């Protein structure tokens, strides 16, 4: 009959000699043979039992429960079926755990500020480190720049995806007005210009209508901005410029009308 020493068994099953000694002491796995010198010797039956012990331990069953299972009179096939059922249960638990970890990781990643790589992926040629550095040199000391940096430093990739979607919607409104033949002073064009101003105001920095005029002038003065709009639709840069100015004029007129109405109301109050 072939037998194995404790050292050979430990190496074969990836357990320690100390563990095998402990199993012997508690009666979980008692070697069936001894050498003439009294050393432990394991038989094929012992190895089969140890294999079952190792599987159950990997399933994190306590030793006393393993002993009960092994000494309950079940044959090897019954044990294998039990082990398989237990493993399948653990697999379901582990799949659920992996899914939970993935959901937590997704939430964690979504809460992280967007990286430069994220912005390049979203905006393509519309995002450039060179442009950003130039903008910082030109406006880095302005309140608008500081406010924009404070807001956008916390934006996640999901936030920037929403920003881009809003920008695309504004540009689509401009293009629709342009292609419909409506002048830049028309209602739809001015509404698109106001949508453009509100987008910047809400997402980046406080933007008055007068400040908006300055941006419009830059869109036609700087060839890079002009090209951005012309690539969307020919003639769009000048159209956006004119629509922004028209919208600012409309806002000024409405402000004057409101001021006149308030003055008339005060006069009426005094008369009464």
């Amino acid at each position: 009959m072939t037998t194995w020493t404790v050292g050979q068994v430990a190496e074969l099953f990836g357990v320690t000699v100390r563990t095998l000694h402990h199993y012997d002491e508690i009666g979980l796995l008692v070697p069936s043979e001894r050498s003439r010198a009294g050393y432990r010797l394991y038989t094929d039956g012992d190895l089969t039992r140890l294999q079952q012990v190792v599987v159950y331990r990997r399933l994190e069953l306590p030793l006393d429960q393993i002993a009960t299972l092994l000494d309950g009179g079940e044959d090897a096939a019954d044990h294998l079926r039990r082990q398989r059922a237990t493993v399948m249960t653990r697999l379901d638990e582990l799949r659920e755990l992996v899914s939970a970890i993935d959901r937590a990781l997704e939430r964690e990643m979504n809460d992280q500020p967007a990286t430069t790589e994220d912005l390049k992926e979203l905006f393509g040629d519309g995002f450039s480190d060179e442009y950003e550095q130039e903008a910082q040199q030109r406006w880095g000391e302005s309140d608008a720049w500081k406010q924009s940096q404070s807001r956008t430093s916390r934006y996640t990739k999901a936030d920037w995806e929403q920003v881009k979607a809003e920008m695309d919607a504004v540009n689509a409104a401009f293009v629709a007005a342009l292609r419909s033949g409506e002048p830049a002073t028309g209602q739809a064009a001015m509404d698109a210009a106001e949508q453009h101003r509100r987008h910047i105001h809400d997402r980046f920095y406080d933007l008055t209508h007068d400040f908006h005029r300055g941006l419009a002038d830059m869109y036609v003065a700087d060839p890079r901005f002009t090209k951005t709009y012309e690539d969307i639709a020919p003639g769009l840069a000048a159209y956006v410029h004119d629509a922004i100015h028209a919208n600012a004029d409309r806002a000024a007129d409405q402000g004057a009308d409101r001021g006149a109405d308030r003055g008339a109301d005060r006069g009426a109050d005094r008369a009464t």
Side-chain angles (χ1 to χ4, degrees):
M1 180 176 59
T2 303
T3 57
W4 289 266
T5 66
V6 65
Q8 290 172 327
V9 173
E11 182 177 359
L12 181 63
F13 283 86
V15 298
T16 65
V17 170
R18 183 177 180 180
T19 295
L20 292 174
H21 287 175
H22 179 62
Y23 289 170
D24 185 6
E25 293 167 0
I26 66 175
L28 180 61
L29 179 64
V30 179
S32 299
E33 301 292 333
R34 292 276 175 170
S35 69
R36 291 178 181 178
Y39 294 114
R40 296 173 176 86
L41 293 176
Y42 294 83
T43 64
D44 288 342
D46 297 332
L47 298 189
T48 299
R49 183 178 176 94
L50 177 58
Q51 182 181 35
Q52 294 170 343
V53 171
V54 169
V55 172
Y56 282 132
R57 286 300 292 154
R58 289 180 178 174
L59 296 174
E60 299 180 359
L61 269 65
L63 294 178
D64 57 348
Q65 185 176 348
I66 294 174
T68 300
L69 290 172
L70 295 181
D71 297 333
E74 294 180 329
D75 60 19
D78 290 333
H79 276 293
L80 290 173
R81 292 189 186 96
R82 181 190 295 275
Q83 290 169 351
R84 186 182 187 281
T86 306
V87 169
M88 293 305 296
T89 300
R90 291 297 307 279
L91 282 176
D92 291 340
E93 293 174 355
L94 291 174
R95 289 192 189 99
E96 292 177 0
L97 179 59
V98 169
S99 297
I101 292 173
D102 287 343
R103 290 192 296 269
L105 180 60
E106 183 178 358
R107 288 194 300 269
E108 178 65 21
M109 293 303 294
N110 285 339
D111 288 339
Q112 297 297 317
T115 64
T116 299
E117 289 71 23
D118 290 333
L119 296 179
K120 288 180 178 178
E121 178 185 344
L122 285 172
F123 295 100
D125 294 338
F127 177 84
S128 168
D129 293 332
E130 178 184 348
Y131 292 166
E132 186 175 20
Q133 293 171 4
E134 179 184 342
Q136 184 171 7
Q137 291 174 356
R138 294 177 63 179
W139 299 298
E141 297 304 318
S142 68
D143 291 338
W145 174 267
K146 294 174 183 177
Q147 187 179 30
S148 178
Q149 290 298 106
S150 176
R151 290 184 184 179
T152 60
S153 63
R154 299 187 296 271
Y155 283 2
T156 65
K157 185 177 181 180
D159 292 328
W160 281 111
E161 288 173 346
Q162 183 62 34
V163 168
K164 185 177 185 301
E166 293 169 4
M167 290 174 55
D168 291 343
V170 170
N171 289 335
F174 275 127
V175 171
L178 172 65
R179 289 178 176 171
S180 71
E182 177 171 312
T185 55
Q187 182 76 31
M190 289 190 293
D191 287 347
E194 180 60 18
Q195 185 181 352
H196 180 272
R197 187 190 70 82
R198 289 298 312 183
H199 169 71
I200 298 174
H201 182 85
D202 294 340
R203 288 293 190 175
F204 299 99
Y205 52 85
D206 296 343
L207 183 62
T208 65
H209 288 91
D210 285 340
F211 196 165
H212 202 201
R213 291 180 191 271
L215 293 182
D217 293 344
M218 184 174 61
Y219 294 161
V220 293
D222 189 320
R224 293 168 298 184
F225 284 101
T226 302
K227 183 178 184 302
T228 297
Y229 281 110
E230 293 301 301
D231 286 345
I232 298 174
L236 187 60
Y239 190 82
V240 169
H241 167 273
D242 293 347
I244 290 175
H245 275 273
N247 181 60
D249 291 341
R250 177 176 64 171
D253 291 341
Q254 290 173 347
D257 290 342
R258 285 193 294 270
D261 290 341
R262 286 194 295 271
D265 291 340
R266 286 194 295 269
D269 291 340
R270 285 195 297 270
T272 56

